[in-house]
């Protein structure tokens, strides 16, 4: 589908308001019509320096003053090409020269036209010193006409918007274009119902855009922005409300059977379920028993026991005569999940074999790299329904794998998948029904952040962990400080000597290849900065260097990365699980979910290259059983530098919830649910999912009420239009609903 760029329905095109150079420049950053222009918010405001008397000013200061024009002179400059315009102004206490160096006669004329003798102007600038005349002066100050009244003074002190612009348009041009647009604010499309605006105590849309673009006070900007933020939240929540409403009209398999597999499985479990696991298990059971598709986000920190919860729901699907699929982001993880499920289920997973339980089902693994004969056999089990549970990668969704009766899909690690993948599942269930979907994530997010980003999912949170985990302590290690590095490898060697195992993770496979850039850091005001770094270390070279370290002499070292064949990968993982490798050097193929209970050390080289949730996942690979884990975030950044401070904050964060907030503050909501995630949350314009939690909660309540009473939004055409524009902005290629 082509990317359409036309105006929101009915909104005044900027061509009618501005000269074409300006409207083209604005189009380059998405400002296409009156509606987008007046909702294009300043990045910040500059508050002018307090008004001063000219008697009180000093060299180097920023000043604002209301002054009268006394005299204006211009002359051609002798030493340079151009003109010097000198304006003398006074405020009754002192006189001050304003100096302009101009290249063209018409610029001189333009200033002269705006500076008649006796005119009152507001000047703003930095006080300079004229060595020749030994006097203070302002060079190229900003000025504008002003009245010396209370109103005039308030006007002079108003905050000036600074827009997030590109090079092709000036701030002044943007300001005056916007001010011109404000005259037509009455024709803006009104997305939020009047009644809601009044009830929530917000300024009307017309007033809000005026407050945002021409505020008199900082409080004005806050009130104006409150409307725009609310409006954005309201549109977003209306999308979620509509999706929910659509789910309520879509049929799904009823997964309500209570046994026998679920009961048999619970009896088999070598541990007691935690209260949280039971509670969430019950909630999921209630939801999937409902004849409409559930979309749930099951979140819980690494090791909180999500897999068991999901497996119990899958067994409920099988007990109800349907199938369940478990999708993992990589083949390695799919294989591991397959092993975990078959181990947990034991004889319950061995249908067709001699030692099977009479109620057993089959758990099948389906991956792209399986041999054809094996695959054919598996596919047969999937289509015939013999396989109650199928484990695979997301290829299971895209390939035309025909399930006999797919009732439930569990997706592991949503941050690699993209929540929107679940839309592909529509009609994949029996006789065109939609299967239920549970997405599992180990990167929990704060409640309102979840509402603003995955607001069409039911969020279920596992807060406690089973408690068998010894936990992990994290340290930042600076490569530039050899004593620290040596201590790190020494610790690794000690753990190996004690019979434990070590993971070493690198940012890339080979140092001879192009280096991936480190992720940028964001400043307070959102500007990106990427401090210089050493090139990242590679798996191959690191393995060689580690092998040469005297501390680690004799350690059995393995390597693992995405370029090995599936068999090789499987072989290496098996060796690691069986304890035949002491130290595994790998890329992030082991990032999520890999379970080696005996591993106790995680060393991440060039840790600043990894995202917050990646690092949390990685350290979650150790300390999984009774041995306490140690994670080392090794960086080439120097002590105290931003990357190093950032890593230290991650090392210090207690759990996934704290980290999620850290991540949000650092990267903004855009990346909340992962790099491959396209969609709504990428394009939040005014909302900050942490700061604006109240607006988000209120907008959700209001939007769900509006959609409940008018699902097609026939009485709210402006809202329906805004939703469509929003979805198109978010992802031009995604199908709707
Ligand atoms: P997650 O997927 O949330 O990271 P897992 O489901 O992989 O966590 O569980 C981590 C480990 O804890 C697994 O070895 C699992 O068998 C075990 N486990 C799960 N629930 C319990 C429980 N209630 N008591 C003890 N151990 C548990
Ligand atoms: Mg897991």
């Amino acid at each position: 589908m082509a990317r359409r760029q036309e105006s929101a329905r009915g909104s005044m095109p900027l061509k009618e308001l501005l000269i074409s150079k300006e409207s083209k420049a604005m189009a380059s950053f998405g400002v296409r019509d009156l509606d987008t222009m007046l909702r294009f918010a300043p990045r910040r405001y500059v508050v002018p320096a307090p008004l001063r008397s000219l008697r009180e000013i000093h060299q180097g200061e920023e000043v604002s003053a209301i002054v009268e024009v006394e005299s204006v002179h211009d002359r051609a400059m002798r030493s340079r090409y151009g003109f010097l315009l000198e304006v003398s102004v006074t405020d009754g206490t002192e006189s001050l020269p304003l100096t302009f160096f101009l290249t063209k006669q018409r610029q001189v004329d333009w200033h002269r036209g705006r500076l008649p003798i006796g005119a009152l102007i507001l000047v703003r600038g930095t006080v300079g010193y004229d060595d020749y005349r030994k006097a203070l002066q302002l060079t190229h100050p900003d000025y504008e006409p002003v009245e010396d009244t209370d109103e005039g003074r308030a006007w002079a002190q108003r905050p000036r918007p600074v827009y997030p612009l590109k090079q092709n348009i000036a701030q002044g041009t943007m300001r005056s274009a916007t001010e011109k647009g404000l005259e037509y604010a009455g024709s803006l499309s009104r997305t939020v119902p009047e009644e809601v605006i009044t009830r929530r105590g917000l300024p009307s849309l017309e007033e809000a855009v005026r407050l945002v673009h021409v505020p008199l006070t900082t409080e004005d900007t806050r009130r104006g922005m409150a409307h725009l933020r609310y409006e954005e939240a309201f549109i977003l929540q209306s999308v979620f409300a509509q999706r929910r409403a659509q789910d309520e009209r879509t049929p799904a398999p009823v997964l309500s059977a209570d046994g026998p597999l679920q009961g048999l499985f619970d009896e088999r479990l070598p541990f007691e379920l935690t209260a949280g696991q039971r509670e969430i298990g019950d909630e999921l059971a209630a939801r999937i028993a409902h004849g409409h598709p559930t979309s749930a986000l099951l979140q819980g920190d690494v090791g909180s026991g999500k897999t068991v919860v999901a497996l119990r729901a899958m067994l409920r699907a099988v007990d109800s005569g349907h199938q369940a699929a478990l999708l993992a982001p990589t083949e390695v993880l799919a294989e591991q999940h397959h092993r975990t499920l078959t181990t947990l289920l034991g004889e319950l997973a061995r249908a067709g074999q001699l030692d099977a339980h009479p109620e057993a089902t089959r758990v099948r693994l389906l991956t792209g790299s399986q041999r054809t004969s094996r695959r054919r056999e598996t596919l047969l089990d999937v289509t015939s329904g013999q396989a109650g549970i199928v484990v695979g990668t997301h290829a299971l969704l895209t390939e035309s794998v025909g399930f006999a009766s797919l009732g439930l899909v569990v997706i592991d690690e949503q941050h690699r998948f993209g929540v929107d993948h679940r839309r592909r599942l529509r009609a994949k269930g029996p006789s065109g029904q939609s299967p239920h979907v549970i997405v599992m994530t180990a990167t929990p997010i704060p409640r309102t952040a979840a509402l603003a980003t995955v607001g069409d999912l039911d969020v279920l949170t596992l807060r406690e962990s089973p408690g068998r985990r010894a936990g992990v302590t994290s340290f930042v290690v600076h490569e530039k400080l050899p004593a620290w590095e040596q201590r790190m490898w020494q610790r690794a060697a000690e753990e190996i000597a004690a019979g434990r195992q070590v993971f070493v993770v690198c940012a890339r496979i080979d140092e001879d290849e192009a280096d991936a850039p480190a992720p940028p850091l964001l400043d307070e005001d959102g500007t990106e900065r990427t401090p210089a770094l050493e090139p990242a270390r590679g798996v191959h070279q690191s393995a060689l260097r580690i092998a040469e370290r005297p501390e680690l002499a004799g350690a059995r070292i393995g390597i693992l990365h995405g370029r090995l064949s599936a068999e090789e990968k499987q072989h290496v993982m098996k060796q690691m699980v069986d304890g035949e490798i002491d130290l595994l050097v790998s890329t992030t193929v082991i990032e999520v979910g890999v379970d080696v209970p005996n591993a106790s050390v995680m060393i991440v080289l060039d840790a600043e290259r990894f995202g917050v949730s990646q690092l949390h996942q990685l350290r979650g690979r150790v300390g999984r059983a009774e041995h306490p884990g140690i994670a080392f975030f090794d960086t080439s950044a120097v002590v105290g530098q931003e990357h190093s401070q950032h890593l230290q904050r991650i090392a210090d964060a207690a759990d996934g919830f704290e980290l999620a907030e850290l991540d949000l503050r650092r990267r903004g909501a855009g990346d909340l649910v992962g790099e491959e995630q396209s969609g709504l949350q990428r394009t939040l314009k005014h909302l900050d999912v942490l700061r604006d939690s109240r607006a988000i909660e209120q907008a959700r309540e209001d939007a769900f009420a509006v959609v409940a009473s008018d699902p097609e939004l026939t009485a709210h055409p402006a809202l329906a239009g805004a939703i469509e524009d929003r979805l198109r902005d978010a992802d031009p290629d995604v199908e709707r609903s």
Side-chain angles (χ1 to χ4, degrees):
M1 197 208 285
R3 234 164 242 261
R4 286 176 297 159
Q5 286 284 324
E6 82 258 28
S7 307
R9 270 111 311 274
S11 183
M12 181 189 290
L14 289 183
K15 293 197 287 275
E16 292 177 16
L17 205 63
L18 309 171
I19 60 170
S20 91
K21 183 163 159 268
E22 292 169 2
S23 61
K24 279 201 186 117
M26 289 188 202
S28 75
F29 45 86
V31 172
R32 303 182 293 274
D33 52 29
L34 189 69
D35 271 283
T36 45
M37 181 169 77
L38 293 185
R39 286 176 174 87
F40 184 72
R43 190 209 329 260
R44 60 193 171 90
Y45 294 87
V46 197
V47 180
L51 288 173
R52 297 286 278 284
S53 145
L54 293 185
R55 190 184 284 156
E56 306 166 335
I57 64 175
H58 301 283
Q59 186 181 351
E61 275 180 339
E62 284 291 324
V63 295
S64 309
I66 293 180
V67 294
E68 186 181 331
V69 177
E70 289 181 310
S71 66
V72 183
H73 298 285
D74 68 84
R75 59 186 159 86
M77 284 183 284
R78 251 169 270 136
S79 52
R80 283 159 57 180
Y81 173 76
F83 304 89
L84 178 67
L85 178 72
E86 281 193 316
V87 181
S88 175
V89 297
T90 179
D91 65 351
T93 65
E94 297 267 332
S95 289
L96 181 74
L98 314 181
T99 314
F100 299 84
F101 299 98
L102 303 169
T103 52
K104 302 210 168 64
Q105 180 64 47
R106 65 176 165 78
Q107 294 171 323
V108 175
D109 297 342
W110 184 80
H111 281 289
R112 276 186 165 275
R114 298 179 70 208
L115 293 164
I117 310 284
L120 270 189
I121 56 168
L122 166 74
V123 283
R124 287 180 295 136
T126 312
V127 182
Y129 189 72
D130 180 351
D131 278 328
Y132 179 70
R133 270 188 306 207
K134 307 275 181 254
L136 298 177
Q137 67 171 6
L138 290 178
T139 306
H140 288 246
D142 280 341
Y143 66 90
E144 60 185 278
V146 72
E147 279 171 38
D148 198 7
T149 58
D150 285 348
E151 269 178 17
R153 287 170 173 276
W155 178 247
Q157 287 295 287
R158 74 193 191 279
R160 304 297 194 283
V162 179
Y163 296 91
L165 298 180
K166 297 196 175 171
Q167 293 298 338
N168 56 5
I169 188 164
Q171 291 289 343
T173 313
M174 188 73 204
R175 276 182 214 163
S176 52
T178 307
E179 281 170 31
K180 205 186 294 176
L182 284 174
E183 293 166 27
Y184 304 89
S187 70
L188 285 174
S189 88
R190 288 151 209 280
T191 37
V192 187
E194 269 335 298
E195 177 274 318
V196 175
I197 293 175
T198 321
R199 183 158 44 79
R200 294 301 183 188
L202 296 165
S204 72
L205 179 60
E206 260 184 274
E207 193 188 350
V209 290
R210 195 177 52 74
L211 294 173
V212 164
H213 297 291
V214 230
L216 278 180
T217 62
T218 305
E219 170 61 15
D220 282 353
T221 67
R222 204 197 52 70
R223 287 204 333 120
M225 283 309 297
H227 184 114
L228 294 190
R229 292 192 178 116
Y230 184 89
E231 181 186 54
E232 179 166 43
F234 184 79
I235 294 167
L236 200 56
Q237 294 303 328
S238 302
V239 173
F240 295 143
Q242 281 198 310
R243 284 190 184 164
R244 293 277 194 138
Q246 160 124 27
D247 280 349
E248 285 303 308
R249 293 191 296 268
T250 305
V254 175
L255 309 179
S256 59
D258 239 345
L261 281 173
Q262 297 162 77
L264 291 167
F265 174 72
D266 285 358
E267 282 165 26
R268 259 189 67 85
L269 270 179
F271 44 73
E272 284 284 311
L273 292 172
T274 63
Q277 282 173 319
R278 282 200 178 283
E279 210 174 287
I280 289 183
D282 291 347
E283 276 200 41
L284 280 175
R287 276 164 222 240
I288 61 181
H290 185 57
H292 303 288
T294 296
S295 300
L297 180 69
L298 173 56
Q299 58 174 19
D301 215 337
V302 180
S304 58
K306 298 182 289 294
T307 312
V308 174
V309 173
L311 178 53
R312 291 176 77 233
M314 290 192 265
L315 292 175
R316 201 167 189 83
V318 179
D319 280 338
S320 308
H322 297 279
Q323 291 163 295
L326 172 58
L327 308 185
T330 63
E331 292 206 350
V332 171
L333 284 169
E335 280 153 16
Q336 184 186 287
H337 272 311
H338 181 249
R339 267 199 307 277
T340 308
L341 298 197
T342 35
T343 312
L344 281 168
L345 287 166
E347 55 176 2
L348 299 176
R350 290 202 278 270
Q353 295 174 35
L354 286 175
D355 53 353
H357 189 281
E359 301 289 351
T361 184
R362 267 183 214 168
V363 180
R364 283 297 205 178
L365 173 69
L366 192 66
T367 65
S369 54
Q370 278 167 338
R371 286 209 184 77
T372 328
S373 54
R374 179 79 201 238
R375 233 180 113 72
R376 200 173 303 133
E377 205 179 291
T378 304
L379 279 171
L380 207 61
D381 271 1
V382 176
T383 31
S384 68
Q386 297 281 337
I389 296 176
V390 186
V391 184
T393 62
H394 64 293
L396 263 188
L397 295 190
T398 47
E399 288 174 22
S400 47
V401 177
F403 284 85
S405 180
L406 183 59
L408 170 67
V409 176
V410 176
I411 301 177
D412 189 20
E413 298 312 342
Q414 144 251 19
H415 76 273
R416 286 293 193 79
F417 262 103
V419 181
D420 287 344
H421 277 253
R422 69 207 163 83
R423 279 195 226 141
R424 300 229 177 102
L425 290 168
R426 283 268 156 80
K428 282 249 174 195
S431 50
Q433 301 182 60
S434 282
H436 302 276
V437 179
I438 301 173
V439 181
M440 300 196 284
T441 177
T443 316
I445 52 179
R447 183 184 138 74
T448 52
L451 288 184
T453 52
V454 290
D456 48 348
L457 305 184
D458 291 322
V459 178
L460 303 172
T461 306
L462 272 176
R463 291 200 173 266
E464 32 167 6
S465 283
R468 276 195 345 184
R469 290 172 54 89
V472 191
T473 317
S474 317
F475 301 93
V476 178
V477 175
H478 292 91
E479 192 202 349
K480 300 265 168 61
L481 301 175
W484 296 31
E485 276 255 309
Q486 196 187 342
R487 182 71 195 118
M488 173 175 85
W489 295 114
Q490 184 61 43
R491 277 299 283 131
E494 286 163 19
E495 290 292 307
I496 291 173
R500 307 283 107 73
Q501 286 159 288
V502 176
F503 285 113
V504 177
V505 174
C506 300
R508 55 174 169 162
I509 300 175
D510 210 308
E511 289 170 20
D512 298 335
E513 296 170 13
D515 199 10
L521 291 171
L522 293 189
D523 264 351
E524 299 278 287
D525 72 349
T527 339
E528 286 189 1
R529 260 169 326 115
T530 310
L533 288 168
E534 309 275 311
R537 284 163 277 183
V539 170
H540 292 134
Q541 290 80 1
S542 297
L544 291 175
R545 284 191 288 260
I546 292 165
E548 281 166 12
R549 292 202 76 98
E551 305 91 336
L552 288 159
R556 293 164 300 172
I557 297 174
I559 62 171
L560 182 67
H561 55 73
R563 256 182 251 152
L564 298 179
S565 73
E567 275 114 76
E568 286 170 308
K569 276 189 267 185
Q570 207 170 359
H571 179 65
V572 174
M573 268 323 290
K574 186 163 172 356
Q575 283 185 304
M576 187 70 182
V577 171
D578 294 346
E580 289 162 18
I581 291 176
D582 298 314
L583 184 150
L584 182 66
V585 187
S586 75
T587 54
T588 51
V589 286
I590 58 133
E591 175 189 337
V592 275
V594 167
D595 206 357
V596 181
N598 190 48
S600 62
V601 180
M602 168 60 65
I603 295 175
V604 185
L605 298 179
D606 305 301
E608 70 284 345
R609 309 263 169 167
F610 299 83
V612 176
S613 61
Q614 266 185 317
L615 289 174
H616 186 55
Q617 288 281 348
L618 285 171
R619 72 173 161 194
R621 298 304 107 215
V622 296
R624 292 175 77 74
E626 69 270 26
H627 316 298
I630 316 170
F632 293 106
F633 299 151
D634 187 283
T635 176
S636 62
V638 295
V639 183
Q641 189 251 23
E642 299 106 310
H643 277 308
S644 148
Q645 289 173 356
H646 176 64
L647 290 173
Q648 192 61 55
R649 283 193 288 270
I650 301 172
D652 293 342
D655 58 22
F657 286 91
E658 197 179 323
L659 272 181
E661 284 215 26
L662 194 69
D663 203 14
L664 274 175
R665 289 192 199 289
R666 175 168 182 249
R667 302 196 297 174
D671 287 327
L672 197 64
V673 258
E675 287 94 55
E676 289 165 33
Q677 174 78 351
S678 65
L680 293 166
Q681 58 278 10
R682 270 215 170 282
T683 46
L684 291 182
K685 291 191 174 82
H686 310 305
L687 272 182
D688 176 315
V689 297
L690 293 177
R691 180 196 58 204
D692 302 323
S693 54
R694 229 170 83 93
I696 292 168
E697 301 261 10
Q698 294 181 341
R700 184 173 181 86
E701 198 184 311
D702 297 338
F704 273 68
V706 166
V707 171
S709 67
D710 181 9
E712 300 300 331
L713 299 176
T714 30
H716 301 88
L719 176 58
I723 288 175
E724 207 167 299
D725 288 340
R726 194 74 171 82
L727 290 170
R728 192 174 54 222
D729 277 357
D731 189 346
D733 300 324
V734 152
E735 83 231 59
R736 301 291 157 252
S737 91

